[in-house]
Amino acid sequence: MEIWSGGRSLGPSTAQQRSVLAMLLLHPGRTVPLDRLVEAVWGQEPPPSARNAIQGYVSRLRRVLAGVPEAELATSPPGYRLDLDPLRVDLYLSRHLVERARAAGQDEAGALLRRALDLWSGPPLAGVAGEWLRETFGGPLEEERLAAVEERIAAELRLGLCREPLAELPVLIGEHPLRERLAYLLMAALHQDGRRAAALEAYRDARRRLVDGLGIEPGSELQELHQRILREEPEAEPPAAPATGGPVEGPVEGRVEARAGAKMGATVPAEVPAAVASFTGRAEEVARVSAALAGDGPGAVRICQISGIGGVGKSSLAIHVAHALAGHYPDGQLYVDLHGASPQVAPVDPVEALGRFLRSLGVAGSAVPTDLEEAAGRFRSLTVGRRMLVILDNARDAAQVRPLLPGSPTCAVLITSRRMLTSFDGATQVSLDVLPDGDALALLGGIVGDGRIAAEPAAAAEVVRLCGGLPLALCLAAARLRARPSWQVSALAGRLASAHRRLDELRADDRGLRASFQAGYQDLKSDADGVAAARMFRLLGLLDGPDLGLPAAAALAGLPEERAQRLLDLLVDARLVQERAPDRYNLHDLLRLFARERAAEEESEPARRQAVERALHHHLATARTAIEMLKPAYTWRTEVGPSSLTRPGLALETNEDLRAWVDAEEDNLLAAVGQTRGTPAAGLGVALAVTFAVPLYSTGRWRGLLALSEAALRAAEHTAEPFDEAVVLGDLGWAHVCVGNQIVGIAHMNRSLAIHRRLGNKRRAAALLDHLGIAYRGAGRFDEAADHHRQAIELMDDRYGQGAILTHLGLVYQRAGRFAEAVEAGVRSVAILEETGAAVDAVIALANLAEAYRLAGDPGRAVAHHREVLARYRAAGHGGDYVEAESLWGLGQALSESGECDEARRLWRRSAAILHGLGLISAEERHSIDNDDVPAVPEVIQRML
């Protein structure tokens, strides 16, 4: 198996990569779950590192595919998807040529079939790792190739060309002695060549092989040909081969007549329930399901599965599509609710479902088999050749579904299940998400009346938000409004606003959201792994963040990561948890409320508290590692909170690792700090806030720092620790300064300074004086700013701190127009910081010195320093943050003053892109910078310089 482009082979280079590529190519344009890729490489016994290894193989395949135009290997949870034109793959091109041959005239068919067979080289799936792929797919693919060979030989015989087939067929029969069609073709070729006795001998040889090998007589076609040869009738034209692998070709006239005659007396079931009147939206999903079921499919039954969390509208979508496609299935539609996740109803046994189907197809009740295999076989026999749609609604698992599948490629099956059933090869998977806001409002209005929604648009939007866009929740909420015409929409929104009451409110008659969730939750507990997964689900409900990574989930549950991953996989399969990206998990808001309810019922208060603390310990450990990477001088912050932690953090090794962690966890850590308020974990919340503040500030997330510090201050009110309060007040004040609220920031920092002085913390007091100087500079009060910086230098007892304060004093001199003093302070600051080994701080001080040189009328030196800043900063693995943006802007200003305007504009645009990405300038500001010849200095940079 190889990828070719431009006449040369690009790889892949290993059997394992070929296995992954094969699995993706066998399902082009469809998501292949990660577990299926693992199975493709290692079968049923993968190594512990299998998932990581697959990610590595995918990464290498992406590099190989980079040389192939219009081919993309995309991440598509819960796995990967290969998007490309199928006709660029030899297998699908071969199928296409076979289909063309079936529709072509006799003269053209043989040539098309030879072209199709020329695309096959060696045994199917040669060179892949392990045996699973070959055992699973190799047989069907080889059958497909042999069928094409037989069709090509038949085409040659129809043209009277029997010599080459006579040389080829004995070899093929030697390889496949029990294949009746090859025997048929050999007899026909010998008869056509005038060798009647040899043709009869060929029949006797074939019969002997079948009787000895299988204990059966030859089939009717072979026997009929034998009789025609005995009667010396003209040679028969070889029959068309059955369709395999590719799209099903239209039947010949004789078969149309036979099928029509059979259908006249057959029962035509029409069992699909009534369409859901409130069905709204889902245009893309309707199109995908319809295309999977109505279009020409492979030479096997077409299967489409709709999956998603409870209440997301799987059954409604299936019923809607089934009604729309009724004309495509004139032989009927069978429907069964398998009750795989129905509250207080046992799942339907497959043999019971088959009994219903058989009775629907006209089998008398007394004649319905009670044995599962016999009933399944009878069902397949009755559906062969009939165009029928089978809807298997609310399935529990693949084992329940498998016996209910028809065998004829003229049939199609539509399955709904909370679980994604991935073991049906070739099945189209459609995973439903919640409704977008517009469709959710339309659903609400369709039930209660558009007038009530239009009268209170804000309240209606709030109901949609509180229902999380979940169709069942929206329908239940709308049912309550419809039953109470006197209620305003805002009254319902008020009821739903209470997290403790929300699930109680979302019920109507015998339907309720809690019951729907409970069915899936209870279904988990069928074995030990399921019981453990149910506990994981309960604990996930204890955290408020939007999602969490695998390490945090493992910490929450107190489990090794490998074990936690297994349990999370079970929850994802059960659709109780979503995996938005590999190893990142989240719960729908309403499922989180349900999980929290279950935790309150089934977990003790100490167990719940300890679980949250384990997760906080994990985050705190990672934040402490981040401080050590970014600002060794700030390691005093790691002393806030417990000295020993029960769970390890992430092993951040590079600045890219750190930025990725901050990107992923900013909202989660803000939520974690917020939920510690008024709890025994408040001290942990403060510790997490004061450590995470450093990477937030360093990456330019100042509004995030402001929100974090506000949450930390609320938590600190419950710790009774003055030092905690002082640090948090200082961070809160600094965050206000960063976003331009200098006066508010000064007030908070003065409170912090007073506490530090009362506690005798001279170094912290010096740092507060320095920050106050920066705040006064931003407020334009330069004398006060310089005085605070000088006080800070006198109080600071280490060289690093003095060097850092000097660069801030230099900035005051810049703003005050005292440029010579600014240069002097900057030169001293850079020297001290380099002497103390503070490389990053020295680079920042050098950037400030560059600006001082520019303002002092020396743009050439400013350019040189700015270029040095950018080179050193990037060499240290930094970039994409505020420091780089500020230096790019400063370099642009210096170049502009030196007459290099084109490069200056390019640098300003790069700076604006970074600032906009950090949320520090608006889209309008960025547009202005991108289009002005000499744009104004962004306000955020003016504040910081």
Side-chain angles (χ1 to χ4, degrees):
M1 177 173 298
E2 294 179 301
I3 299 171
W4 287 77
S5 181
R8 63 189 182 92
S9 173
L10 303 180
S13 58
T14 69
Q16 291 81 5
Q17 292 176 41
R18 286 192 287 272
S19 291
V20 173
L21 177 62
M23 198 65 179
L24 292 166
L25 286 173
L26 286 166
H27 306 84
R30 298 177 182 171
T31 297
V32 180
L34 195 58
D35 288 345
R36 294 287 281 167
L37 294 175
V38 168
E39 192 173 29
V41 177
W42 292 282
Q44 300 300 316
E45 298 181 358
S49 60
R51 292 170 70 93
N52 289 334
I54 292 293
Q55 291 168 357
Y57 300 150
V58 168
S59 177
R60 287 187 281 276
L61 284 174
R62 280 178 171 148
R63 290 197 290 272
V64 173
L65 288 165
V68 180
E70 298 181 13
E72 180 183 7
L73 179 45
T75 299
S76 178
Y80 300 94
R81 185 185 68 252
L82 181 54
D83 293 322
L84 82 171
D85 180 358
L87 292 186
R88 299 177 67 186
V89 181
D90 286 351
L91 173 62
Y92 303 111
L93 178 56
S94 173
R95 290 176 177 173
H96 175 69
L97 291 169
V98 169
E99 290 306 309
R100 284 180 56 193
R102 290 175 183 155
Q106 288 189 359
D107 292 338
E108 187 183 0
L112 288 168
L113 288 164
R114 280 189 290 275
R115 284 177 57 195
L117 288 165
D118 286 343
L119 295 169
W120 293 79
S121 58
L125 298 171
V128 299
E131 298 298 326
W132 185 87
L133 266 175
R134 283 189 289 271
E135 291 173 355
T136 304
F137 295 99
L141 289 173
E142 177 61 13
E143 170 64 29
E144 185 175 340
R145 186 190 70 82
L146 278 172
V149 170
E150 291 168 342
E151 287 197 56
R152 190 258 302 159
I153 293 172
E156 291 172 348
L157 293 179
R158 282 192 287 272
L159 292 173
L161 306 172
C162 62
R163 291 304 174 90
E164 286 189 18
L166 283 172
E168 183 179 4
L169 282 164
V171 177
L172 290 170
I173 290 172
E175 295 171 351
H176 308 280
L178 301 178
R179 197 171 178 90
E180 290 191 49
R181 183 165 169 77
L182 291 175
Y184 184 106
L185 292 169
L186 178 59
M187 291 169 61
L190 288 166
H191 188 37
Q192 188 179 102
D193 197 38
R195 298 159 62 184
R196 178 169 173 263
L200 294 172
E201 181 63 27
Y203 175 78
R204 288 191 291 271
D205 289 343
R207 180 181 181 278
R208 184 171 55 253
R209 291 192 301 269
L210 291 167
V211 171
D212 292 345
L214 300 176
I216 61 172
E217 291 290 335
S220 59
E221 285 186 347
L222 207 57
Q223 291 188 37
E224 289 170 7
L225 177 59
H226 178 237
Q227 291 300 316
R228 285 198 299 272
I229 295 171
L230 285 172
R231 294 192 297 267
E232 297 191 59
E233 294 178 2
E235 60 269 15
E237 184 176 283
T244 61
V248 179
E249 191 66 12
V252 297
E253 276 189 20
R255 290 186 180 164
V256 171
E257 291 171 0
R259 188 177 302 131
K263 193 163 52 177
M264 285 178 63
T267 301
V268 180
E271 300 180 346
V272 180
V276 179
S278 59
F279 184 84
T280 302
R282 303 292 195 199
E284 181 180 344
E285 292 88 348
V286 167
R288 286 186 61 200
V289 176
S290 299
L293 297 176
D296 287 336
V301 60
R302 292 186 291 279
I303 301 174
C304 179
Q305 192 217 339
I306 304 170
S307 60
I309 66 173
V312 80
K314 303 178 292 295
S315 297
S316 296
L317 173 61
I319 291 168
H320 179 84
V321 171
H323 280 287
L325 295 181
H328 288 268
Y329 297 98
D331 295 335
Q333 296 174 310
L334 295 168
Y335 173 90
V336 63
D337 183 347
L338 294 170
H339 293 299
S342 297
Q344 300 177 342
V345 179
V348 174
D349 191 280
V351 75
E352 180 186 342
L354 284 167
R356 297 183 194 178
F357 285 169
L358 292 174
R359 288 189 292 273
S360 296
L361 293 171
V363 177
S366 59
V368 172
T370 56
D371 176 75
L372 176 61
E373 291 187 10
E374 185 181 354
R378 182 77 60 85
F379 174 62
R380 290 192 294 271
S381 297
L382 288 175
T383 54
V384 70
R386 301 179 71 177
R387 292 187 62 82
M388 300 191 74
L389 176 63
V390 180
I391 300 100
L392 305 177
D393 197 8
N394 194 7
R396 177 177 181 175
D397 53 30
Q400 187 188 33
V401 165
R402 193 166 284 109
L404 309 181
L405 299 179
S408 175
T410 58
C411 294
V413 180
L414 179 53
I415 307 166
T416 74
S417 175
R418 293 189 184 184
R419 301 171 184 272
M420 184 179 288
L421 309 181
T422 59
S423 61
F424 300 117
D425 291 320
T428 297
Q429 297 287 350
V430 177
S431 181
L432 284 194
D433 204 344
V434 297
L435 290 172
D437 288 350
D439 288 345
L441 283 168
L443 174 59
L444 204 61
I447 298 174
V448 305
D450 291 333
R452 292 177 75 180
I453 302 303
E456 297 181 85
E462 181 67 0
V463 169
V464 167
R465 186 187 71 80
L466 293 170
C467 289
L470 193 67
L472 176 57
L474 289 163
C475 288
L476 293 170
R480 300 208 70 190
L481 281 174
R482 187 172 59 182
R484 293 164 176 79
S486 63
W487 275 18
Q488 290 187 318
V489 179
S490 56
L492 178 62
R495 286 171 172 256
L496 294 175
S498 169
H500 297 294
R501 293 176 52 189
R502 195 173 307 159
L503 294 181
D504 292 325
E505 295 292 336
L506 292 172
R507 57 182 175 79
D509 297 331
D510 59 343
R511 302 174 69 203
L513 198 62
R514 182 184 286 108
S516 175
F517 292 162
Q518 181 70 25
Y521 174 71
Q522 282 300 128
D523 189 43
L524 275 176
K525 300 182 178 182
S526 59
D527 56 28
D529 277 353
V531 170
R535 172 180 175 268
M536 172 68 83
F537 173 71
R538 295 192 295 271
L539 297 181
L540 292 176
L542 299 176
L543 297 181
D544 286 343
D547 71 349
L548 79 169
L550 173 59
L556 179 72
L559 296 170
E561 284 190 23
E562 185 176 348
R563 174 63 173 160
Q565 187 177 59
R566 168 64 182 151
L567 301 181
L568 288 163
D569 285 346
L570 291 176
L571 293 173
V572 170
D573 290 343
R575 284 300 198 265
L576 290 170
V577 168
Q578 294 171 295
E579 187 177 13
R580 294 291 190 184
D583 292 336
R584 290 210 68 86
Y585 306 91
N586 70 294
L587 280 74
H588 186 278
D589 288 346
L590 295 173
L591 272 169
R592 187 192 312 279
L593 294 180
F594 176 73
R596 194 165 292 180
E597 282 186 357
R598 299 321 313 148
E601 287 287 331
E602 301 180 46
E603 301 287 337
S604 67
E605 191 280 329
R608 299 197 303 272
R609 183 182 69 250
Q610 290 163 12
V612 172
E613 288 178 355
R614 285 192 299 267
L616 292 173
H617 277 221
H618 162 76
H619 288 312
L620 181 56
T622 309
R624 287 177 174 177
T625 299
I627 282 187
E628 291 167 1
M629 287 180 63
L630 282 170
K631 295 273 188 180
Y634 285 70
T635 52
W636 62 268
R637 289 176 176 260
T638 65
E639 298 171 8
V640 179
S643 57
S644 61
L645 301 175
T646 59
R647 295 293 298 196
L650 298 179
L652 304 177
E653 297 179 355
T654 66
N655 286 301
E656 288 76 12
D657 291 343
L658 189 147
R659 281 195 294 272
W661 172 69
V662 174
D663 286 342
E665 302 295 354
E666 178 180 353
D667 291 340
N668 293 315
L669 269 59
L670 173 59
V673 171
Q675 76 177 96
T676 64
R677 178 186 182 185
T679 74
L684 267 177
V686 172
L688 181 57
V690 300
T691 47
F692 192 51
V694 175
L696 271 185
Y697 171 72
S698 298
T699 53
R701 291 168 167 82
W702 299 337
R703 297 196 180 280
L705 176 61
L706 179 60
L708 180 76
S709 300
E710 288 172 339
L713 184 60
R714 291 190 290 271
E717 294 170 354
H718 300 274
T719 65
E721 291 287 342
F723 182 74
D724 289 0
E725 184 183 5
V727 175
V728 170
L729 280 168
D731 287 348
L732 179 58
W734 179 239
H736 274 290
V737 170
C738 290
V739 299
N741 302 328
Q742 279 81 10
I743 302 306
V744 176
I746 287 169
H748 286 306
M749 287 191 288
N750 273 323
R751 288 177 60 196
S752 175
L753 177 62
I755 298 172
H756 281 305
R757 281 173 165 164
R758 189 168 69 248
L759 296 174
N761 295 327
K762 290 185 177 181
R763 188 171 294 183
R764 301 280 65 76
L768 260 297
L769 287 166
D770 182 40
H771 281 176
L772 280 164
I774 295 171
Y776 281 119
R777 183 186 81 225
R781 294 156 65 174
F782 303 130
D783 290 342
E784 291 170 276
D787 180 58
H788 277 80
H789 286 313
R790 285 190 287 266
Q791 289 183 56
I793 291 172
E794 292 175 6
L795 194 59
M796 183 60 67
D797 59 0
D798 74 274
R799 292 282 287 165
Y800 163 79
Q802 292 171 353
I805 297 168
L806 272 171
T807 192
H808 300 149
L809 179 59
L811 291 173
V812 174
Y813 290 146
Q814 286 181 32
R815 293 284 294 277
R818 298 157 62 177
F819 302 131
E821 292 170 277
V823 168
E824 179 187 359
V827 168
R828 289 173 58 200
S829 171
V830 171
I832 293 172
L833 291 172
E834 289 183 340
E835 167 197 321
T836 57
V840 172
D841 294 281
V843 167
I844 294 171
L846 185 62
N848 292 333
L849 176 58
E851 178 65 6
Y853 277 123
R854 184 185 72 81
L855 293 171
D858 191 349
R861 188 170 291 183
V863 167
H865 281 333
H866 273 306
R867 293 197 189 281
E868 182 181 354
V869 165
L870 290 167
R872 286 169 61 178
Y873 196 63
R874 291 165 180 164
H878 299 285
D881 54 17
Y882 173 78
V883 173
E884 182 181 14
E886 183 185 288
S887 195
L888 286 168
W889 193 275
L891 177 56
Q893 287 183 297
L895 287 169
S896 178
E897 293 176 8
S898 301
E900 299 182 50
C901 298
D902 288 342
E903 186 178 0
R905 281 192 289 272
R906 181 176 60 82
L907 293 168
W908 288 330
R909 292 189 188 106
R910 285 172 57 193
S911 174
I914 295 173
L915 293 172
H916 182 255
L918 295 171
L920 298 178
I921 63 172
S922 66
E924 291 76 16
E925 287 177 283
R926 181 180 178 182
H927 179 77
S928 176
I929 292 168
D930 286 347
N931 290 279
D932 290 351
D933 287 339
V934 183
V937 179
E939 182 184 347
V940 63
I941 293 180
Q942 292 183 48
R943 285 201 309 269
M944 301 306 290
L945 286 175

